[in-house]
């Protein structure tokens, strides 16, 4: 009997073959259908360890992650353009099909922050905010109403589209700052942030992700919080994996590995206030965190990977 792992790999490789030959990854019925099938294939809990894959499958996985990132970028640009055409874009966020999921995510991440911080953050950096920075918008509007959000993206056009969404709002236009920078070129400024968010697809391979994490460890303020997303099991065909050993210079506070209709694991870490000498990176790796039993209803398995990512942590509320 062919084992489930072999069937999974065969299915993922078949979908990769179809996705990689598409002329465009912009939103369309065919693109939506293929990515939906890919997500549903990778969603069930699986003991597969992607580090043990053959060289050929490893190469397919790396390319597939890049294709997912490209598709997400097109999706965000599409909706940012639609929203930006309105006089007051923030009044129309509900037209984004899964806006409610961002509302739930904002509540969850606010809960996580309050349980791991002794004060309300004055400044938050979001690295890889893109043209549709809904996480920053939701947190700034609903939960952290006095916090300034500094959104970093390497793409100037993405920042231009994102900034257009908040210009008409007197409050958010003052508290949402946009920087067009490669985060590896940002140094001293990182000391200013109480919390740094690292988007899942910033650093699409292990080397790139670790380079960014090491850079943040070097320049973030002591005791500042780093929130990033990872993947576990078959979900690692969709997103890069972050291991505890990758987080040199940080104390890992909690790791969430969802098993339901969610894709990303969530890693929460704090930069050491002093350089650890004998502290093991694995000590206290998976912490328990009591979260409010809300927002778990009406979770949808939705088409674009972007939305699946934003659902990831919300399911922890169930």
């Amino acid at each position: 009997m062919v084992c489930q792992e072999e069937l999974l790999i065969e299915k993922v490789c078949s979908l990769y073959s179809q996705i990689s030959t598409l002329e465009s990854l912009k939103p369309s019925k065919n693109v939506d259908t293929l990515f939906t099938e890919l997500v549903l294939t990778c969603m069930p809990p699986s003991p597969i360890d992607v580090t043990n894959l053959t060289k050929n499958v490893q190469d397919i996985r790396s390319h597939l992650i890049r294709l997912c990132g490209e598709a997400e970028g097109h999706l965000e640009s599409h909706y940012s353009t639609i929203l930006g055409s309105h006089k007051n874009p923030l009044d129309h966020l509900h037209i984004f099909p899964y806006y409610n999921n961002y509302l739930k995510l904002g509540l969850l991440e606010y809960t996580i922050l309050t349980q791991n911080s002794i004060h309300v953050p004055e400044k938050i950096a979001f690295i890889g905010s893109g043209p549709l920075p809904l996480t920053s918008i939701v947190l700034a509007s609903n939960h952290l109403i006095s916090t300034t959000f500094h959104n970093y993206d390497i793409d100037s056009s993405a920042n231009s589209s994102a900034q257009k969404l908040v210009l008409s709002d007197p409050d958010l236009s003052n508290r949402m700052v946009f920087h067009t920078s490669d985060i590896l070129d940002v140094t001293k400024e990182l000391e200013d942030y109480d919390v740094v968010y690292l988007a899942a697809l910033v650093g699409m391979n292990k080397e790139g992700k670790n380079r960014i994490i090491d850079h943040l460890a070097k320049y973030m303020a002591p005791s500042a919080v780093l929130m990033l997303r990872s993947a576990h099991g078959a979900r690692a065909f969709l997103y890069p994996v972050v291991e505890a050993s990758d987080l040199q210079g940080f104390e890992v506070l909690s790791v969430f590995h969802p098993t339901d209709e969610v894709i990303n694991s969530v890693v929460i870490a704090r930069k050491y206030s002093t350089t650890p000498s004998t502290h093991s990176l694995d000590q206290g790796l998976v912490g328990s965190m009591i979260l409010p039993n809300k927002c778990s209803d009406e979770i949808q398995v939705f088409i674009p990977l972007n939305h699946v990512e934003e659902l990831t942590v919300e399911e922890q509320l169930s």
Side-chain angles (χ1 to χ4, degrees):
M1 179 180 291
V2 179
C3 72
Q4 291 298 313
E5 185 172 308
E6 291 174 346
L7 292 173
L8 170 66
I9 293 172
E10 181 180 347
K11 179 65 172 179
V12 169
C13 290
S14 174
L15 288 167
Y16 164 77
S17 295
Q18 297 175 69
I19 291 171
S20 62
T21 57
L22 291 171
E23 292 184 2
S24 171
L25 294 179
K26 293 181 179 180
S28 69
K29 182 177 181 180
N30 197 23
V31 169
D32 293 349
T33 298
L34 286 172
F35 276 108
T36 296
E37 190 172 358
L38 177 63
V39 170
L40 293 175
T41 298
C42 296
M43 184 182 299
S46 169
I48 192 169
D49 182 351
V50 295
T51 63
N52 295 329
L53 299 173
T54 65
K55 176 64 164 57
N56 179 55
V57 179
Q58 287 277 16
D59 290 343
I60 287 175
R61 171 180 172 261
S62 296
H63 192 206
L64 188 56
I65 289 173
R66 292 188 176 278
L67 292 173
C68 292
E70 182 180 345
E72 290 187 14
H74 287 309
L75 177 75
E76 292 185 359
S77 294
H78 175 72
Y79 279 101
S80 185
T81 299
I82 293 173
L83 288 166
S85 67
H86 292 275
K87 182 178 180 181
N88 298 300
L90 297 183
D91 293 338
H92 301 275
L93 293 178
H94 62 275
I95 69 175
F96 185 68
Y98 308 105
Y99 174 56
N100 283 339
N101 292 308
Y102 283 88
L103 294 176
K104 297 171 186 177
L105 175 63
L107 173 60
L108 174 60
E109 292 190 329
Y110 174 70
T111 301
I112 290 173
L113 284 174
T114 56
Q115 293 187 351
N116 285 278
S117 179
I118 61 174
H119 62 87
V120 175
E122 293 183 11
K123 292 183 179 180
I124 289 179
F126 195 102
I127 302 170
S129 49
L132 189 61
L134 282 178
T135 298
S136 292
I137 290 173
V138 168
L139 286 173
S141 301
N142 299 347
H143 305 292
L144 298 168
I145 58 174
S146 63
T147 301
T148 301
F149 287 76
H150 288 254
N151 300 282
Y152 287 85
D153 202 280
I154 200 169
D155 185 347
S156 60
S157 64
N159 277 334
S160 178
S161 296
Q163 190 167 27
K164 188 175 181 179
L165 301 180
V166 300
L167 280 178
S168 62
D169 186 282
D171 175 38
L172 289 194
S173 60
N174 286 325
R175 293 193 295 116
M176 293 276 286
V177 184
F178 297 90
H179 305 273
T180 300
S181 301
D182 183 332
I183 199 61
L184 294 176
D185 294 330
V186 180
T187 56
K188 192 172 181 61
E189 296 89 339
L190 289 170
E191 298 177 359
D192 297 335
Y193 305 119
D194 305 293
V195 180
V196 175
Y197 280 78
L198 184 60
L201 291 171
V202 175
M204 291 193 193
N205 56 42
K206 193 171 188 67
E207 294 75 20
K209 182 78 74 174
N210 286 355
R211 191 179 308 118
I212 295 169
I213 291 172
D214 291 344
H215 180 79
L216 295 175
K218 181 177 181 179
Y219 291 105
M220 282 173 59
S223 300
V225 171
L226 175 64
M227 297 187 67
L228 42 75
R229 291 173 186 151
S230 180
H232 185 68
R235 296 139 191 252
F237 281 107
L238 309 175
Y239 292 103
V241 175
V242 178
E243 305 285 358
S245 58
D246 299 327
L247 292 165
Q248 299 287 339
F250 292 93
E251 174 192 6
V252 179
L253 303 176
S254 288
V255 178
F256 297 91
H257 290 313
T259 58
D260 298 323
E261 302 94 337
V262 293
I263 301 302
N264 291 118
S265 301
V266 177
V267 182
I268 307 157
R270 178 180 290 119
K271 182 178 173 180
Y272 288 116
S273 56
T274 58
T275 302
S277 54
T278 59
H279 189 101
S280 168
L281 284 171
D282 294 325
Q283 289 179 354
L285 175 59
V286 181
S288 61
M289 186 174 294
I290 300 174
L291 300 175
N293 187 21
K294 302 176 184 176
C295 306
S296 60
D297 298 332
E298 300 178 1
I299 295 295
Q300 305 174 8
V301 180
F302 32 76
I303 292 171
L305 289 179
N306 171 271
H307 304 320
V308 177
E309 177 194 0
E310 292 300 330
L311 251 179
T312 300
V313 208
E314 297 163 25
E315 195 64 18
Q316 300 309 316
L317 290 171
S318 60

